[in-house]
Amino acid sequence: MDDSRSFETYEAEPAPAPLDDIMQKIAEHKGCGTSGGSGKASCGSGASENDMPAEIWEKVKNHPCYSEEAHHHYARMHVAVAPACNIQCNYCNRKYDCANESRPGVVSEKLSPEQAAKKVLAVASAIPQMTVLGIAGPGDPLANPGKTFKTFELIAEAAPDIKLCLSTNGLALPDHVETIKKFNVDHVTITINMTNPDIGAEIYPWVFWKHKRVTGKEAAKILTDRQLQGLEMLTANGILCKVNSVMIPGINDDHLVTVNREVKSRGAFLHNIMPLISSPEHGTVFGLNGQRGPSAQELKALQDSCEGEMNMMRHCRQCRADAVGLLGEDRSAEFTTEKIMEMEVDYDLSARQAYQEKVEEERQAKVAARNAELETLAGENVELKILVAVATKGSGRINEHFGHADEFQIYELSSGGAKFVGHRRVDLYCQGGYGEEDALETVIRAINDCTAVFVAKIGHCPKEDLLKAGIEPVDQYAYEFIEQSAIAYFKDYLAKIKSGEITHVTRGDATIRQGAFVSVDA
Amino acid sequence: MTYKIVASQCTSCSACEAECPNVAISEKNGTFVINPKKCTECIGYFDVPQCVAVCPVDNTCVIDNSYPRYQAGA
Ligand code: SF4
Ligand code: SF4
Ligand code: SF4
């Protein structure tokens, strides 16, 4: 692979043209048009190749959930084949999807295993960087073992290159580890919110266990025992395991440090602490009793304090059970049951591989660009850290207009470089009839802890308002790599402080958006 | 008697269907229904009606008083 050459190409070209070429070829080959998504690919930071054993790197390198770096390049999809659940959580209202993973307040389109398999092939053909299929709900996949494993079986047959994963509350997990292994499911996520039944009793009103409804502490004890047993069994079988925890201020926030220790000692690969999403209109217990979610600062502080020998996931988008696309984007509207049943699908493995090779090339180019820029930062040794927000469509580039962004990615800049630390959703449509002014306020609240916001383009008015709020709008790095640009910006920032041109101001806290994500551009 | 499902409350999650020992529950036009001819109130199988215990929405699987009480062995 010739890094320097591809790097030059990319520098000169705003849009990653080689990917578009391949997309075009695939499209011609198939004789069907491709919509949207011009060359989605590129890269990030997080744990990378040199930080882990080769066989694990092979498993995670193109899994958007397990590798932050991969999440800029590769897409995943969920199929909603599992409606039933075997426990009740206070942050979930079963009229909607399971809130373990999916955003509450959203109803996924339920599919049969056969429909799901067809959908996977259709998506895999249209989005060649779709590498992962997950079953996350809308209930608990292992409370629907027949449908879940039938789906895996059909997909493994038709599209053997797609990685399979599932998310579960863990109650039924120990009973299914053998089957999980048999179907080569190599990634499992367990949602573990507590290991202490006293705390569990405040989160779970009941579990359905051995043909009875069990409540209170007893229920939480059964659940935690089963979760930890399942985790140990997965680890023993070499299946990578991610643990999700919902941070519920005042209930399990301090306790999650203990949970982190417990799951780490049992071999969990990744810990993903996500904010509680709760508002009265979801009709959940927490929504109705006014239980608040954490602020951006609280969430980051907890994630930072758990970060040690274990990887922390900060790029989880708490996707819905029928999400399709890169994390942070949702293309599910392009693949409704009605549409996919009409599609003629021709699964072309070699075209997918060719595309993914290109993705790898661009990813390497990006790492090289970042490392080169990082060298120029060597010698700078300051305590100072700042956060910046980035408007991106997912190519690892600053390639989104300020006003079009559904979310901003947050990077922490320090003399150590640029580190992805989270994302803030600002999708405004579903909040219902907000005018321009309010929309801008929402964005400012969401990125209020940032010193600057990097965009491809921004209008005059929002620019002024951002400046007033103390956030510098930066469009000089339009279409360039995020990390490389961020490091360059940080260098300038330090130089300006030294020369006395600016003074560093500590930023305040920011708000985590509570509404449900709804894709509107159907 | 038999159990019935209050259609307006049912989320169609299908959890009850798999738990019923008598295969009395099935999906009809998007919601789930109990066949009164098959439901035994779980008598002879479990201590509590399974559909009631597993249903995520309280008071959705309820006694249907329009049928006589189920007689074990009848
Ligand atoms: S919910 Fe989280 S873990 Fe699942 S696909 Fe989305 S980002 Fe990945
Ligand atoms: S009470 Fe028992 S037998 Fe009757 S429908 Fe419910 S689960 Fe089936
Ligand atoms: S468990 Fe309750 S909500 Fe779910 S299908 Fe049965 S009756 Fe409907």
Side-chain angles (χ1 to χ4, degrees):
Chain A
M1 212 177 304
D2 185 355
D3 284 344
S4 57
R5 181 192 46 84
S6 51
F7 174 51
E8 267 165 31
T9 319
Y10 294 123
E11 273 299 89
E13 297 254 4
L19 291 175
D20 280 349
D21 281 357
I22 293 231
M23 242 359 253
Q24 190 54 40
K25 278 190 199 116
I26 294 174
E28 282 163 9
H29 179 72
K30 296 206 174 306
C32 73
T34 48
S35 55
S38 56
K40 307 252 183 198
S42 213
C43 158
S45 68
S48 50
E49 193 160 359
N50 301 328
D51 307 338
M52 56 184 82
E55 72 275 13
I56 297 193
W57 174 247
E58 269 312 305
K59 280 192 180 177
V60 301
K61 72 170 189 197
N62 54 5
H63 193 308
C65 305
Y66 280 72
S67 157
E68 191 280 315
E69 201 182 298
H71 107 277
H72 297 272
H73 314 257
Y74 291 104
R76 54 74 185 101
M77 71 180 289
H78 290 167
V79 285
V81 294
C85 194
N86 47 12
I87 69 172
Q88 181 68 53
C89 308
N90 278 336
Y91 47 73
C92 178
N93 171 354
R94 297 304 322 285
K95 267 200 204 109
Y96 305 118
D97 284 8
C98 169
N100 274 335
E101 290 288 318
S102 324
R103 292 166 180 148
V106 186
V107 188
S108 301
E109 201 180 13
K110 280 166 216 155
L111 299 176
S112 70
E114 290 72 24
Q115 287 170 319
K118 173 106 199 255
K119 179 169 179 176
V120 171
L121 293 183
V123 173
S125 306
I127 309 180
Q129 73 273 41
M130 196 281 285
T131 50
V132 172
L133 167 88
I135 300 184
D140 185 73
L142 298 180
N144 306 258
K147 291 174 192 154
T148 296
F149 291 114
K150 181 74 193 169
T151 306
F152 283 152
E153 186 187 339
L154 292 172
I155 290 161
E157 245 165 53
D161 65 318
I162 290 180
K163 287 188 197 313
L164 306 175
C165 62
L166 69 88
S167 306
T168 174
N169 61 39
L171 182 65
L173 179 57
D175 305 336
H176 297 289
V177 171
E178 275 307 309
T179 323
I180 288 172
K181 207 179 160 188
K182 188 176 118 205
F183 281 100
N184 286 323
V185 176
D186 52 6
H187 303 84
V188 173
T189 298
I190 317 174
T191 301
I192 301 183
N193 296 322
M194 53 87 211
T195 52
N196 174 343
D198 285 315
I199 294 172
E202 292 183 60
I203 305 173
Y204 305 102
W206 55 264
V207 305
F208 183 74
W209 176 245
K210 300 210 161 136
H211 301 290
K212 284 201 178 67
R213 182 179 284 203
V214 183
T215 59
K217 258 200 269 184
E218 201 193 329
K221 175 85 175 82
I222 295 169
L223 185 60
T224 178
D225 286 350
R226 296 284 287 177
Q227 289 173 332
L228 296 179
Q229 186 195 351
L231 172 58
E232 282 171 3
M233 290 170 73
L234 290 173
T235 313
N237 280 285
I239 297 165
L240 279 189
C241 194
K242 165 156 80 67
V243 170
N244 280 357
S245 299
V246 181
M247 177 182 181
I248 312 164
I251 292 185
N252 73 350
D253 42 352
D254 297 336
H255 177 60
L256 286 181
V257 178
T258 310
V259 171
N260 178 261
R261 229 183 3 248
E262 297 278 349
V263 302
K264 192 188 290 174
S265 73
R266 287 173 176 81
F269 172 72
L270 193 64
H271 192 189
N272 171 26
I273 297 181
M274 9 188 232
L276 171 73
I277 296 177
S278 121
S279 74
E281 66 268 24
H282 301 146
T284 62
V285 171
F286 286 152
L288 295 171
N289 75 9
Q291 171 65 49
R292 70 173 180 94
S295 76
Q297 233 166 42
E298 290 169 329
L299 178 66
K300 182 168 181 296
L302 179 60
Q303 289 171 332
D304 287 350
S305 73
C306 290
E307 196 161 50
E309 311 105 78
M310 189 181 188
N311 297 314
M312 293 299 293
M313 175 179 185
R314 299 171 192 252
H315 61 281
C316 179
R317 304 300 202 276
Q318 292 164 266
C319 317
R320 46 192 281 180
D322 59 0
V324 174
L326 291 177
L327 301 189
E329 76 172 0
D330 188 358
R331 298 177 60 182
S332 54
E334 292 167 43
F335 301 98
T336 58
T337 313
E338 210 179 308
K339 287 181 193 163
I340 52 170
M341 286 306 138
E342 280 168 11
M343 283 181 195
E344 276 216 17
V345 180
D346 167 21
Y347 191 75
D348 187 339
L349 188 59
S350 60
R352 281 173 53 77
Q353 278 165 348
Y355 185 89
Q356 289 175 18
E357 269 165 34
K358 280 288 167 199
V359 171
E360 275 311 307
E361 267 176 44
E362 181 164 273
R363 177 172 176 171
Q364 299 294 339
K366 203 195 148 189
V367 172
R370 176 192 68 202
N371 291 347
E373 196 66 43
L374 198 54
E375 269 175 33
T376 69
L377 199 64
E380 293 286 358
N381 207 349
V382 283
E383 287 291 299
L384 188 84
K385 287 181 178 173
I386 58 170
L387 297 180
V388 297
V390 180
T392 173
K393 285 188 207 169
S395 305
R397 292 172 184 272
I398 304 161
N399 54 4
E400 182 64 294
H401 292 201
F402 177 79
H404 297 172
D406 280 341
E407 68 163 30
F408 290 91
Q409 297 190 354
I410 309 295
Y411 283 78
E412 184 176 69
L413 312 184
S414 68
S415 48
K419 175 179 166 198
F420 178 95
V421 293
H423 58 91
R424 305 284 160 70
R425 287 165 49 219
V426 296
D427 46 306
L428 307 161
Y429 314 102
C430 52
Q431 299 186 332
Y434 267 3
E436 282 288 305
E437 277 303 300
D438 292 317
L440 192 59
E441 267 170 41
T442 312
V443 174
I444 289 175
R445 258 185 278 132
I447 60 169
N448 188 45
D449 51 351
C450 297
T451 300
V453 54
F454 293 9
V455 298
K457 222 178 199 162
I458 182 167
H460 184 68
C461 293
K463 220 177 197 170
E464 301 227 311
D465 286 339
L466 280 168
L467 283 169
K468 247 184 267 161
I471 303 168
E472 185 190 356
V474 178
D475 56 9
Q476 85 188 82
Y477 303 109
Y479 300 104
E480 291 181 24
F481 288 131
I482 297 169
E483 293 173 291
Q484 184 190 20
S485 309
I487 295 168
Y489 174 85
F490 189 63
K491 246 185 334 191
D492 279 359
Y493 188 81
L494 292 181
K496 281 188 202 158
I497 294 178
K498 257 187 224 146
S499 73
E501 192 184 331
I502 53 165
T503 42
H504 171 66
V505 194
T506 312
R507 304 286 310 161
D509 204 347
T511 320
I512 295 174
R513 189 116 137 54
Q514 290 297 306
F517 179 85
V518 184
S519 171
V520 286
D521 24 22
Chain B
M1 281 178 283
T2 165
Y3 276 80
K4 66 175 177 186
I5 292 170
V6 180
S8 60
Q9 302 211 76
C10 174
T11 67
S12 300
C13 76
S14 80
C16 53
E17 185 186 22
E19 300 302 333
C20 176
N22 293 309
V23 202
I25 307 175
S26 60
E27 191 172 2
K28 287 229 163 57
N29 307 324
T31 81
F32 282 76
V33 292
I34 294 173
N35 180 343
K37 292 202 187 86
K38 288 189 176 170
C39 173
T40 65
E41 303 167 33
C42 283
I43 290 166
Y45 295 93
F46 302 111
D47 297 343
V48 289
Q50 297 298 289
C51 53
V52 178
V54 78
C55 180
V57 191
D58 287 343
N59 303 318
T60 297
C61 299
V62 292
I63 281 280
D64 186 344
N65 287 313
S66 58
Y67 288 88
R69 179 98 215 168
Y70 173 77
Q71 298 289 320

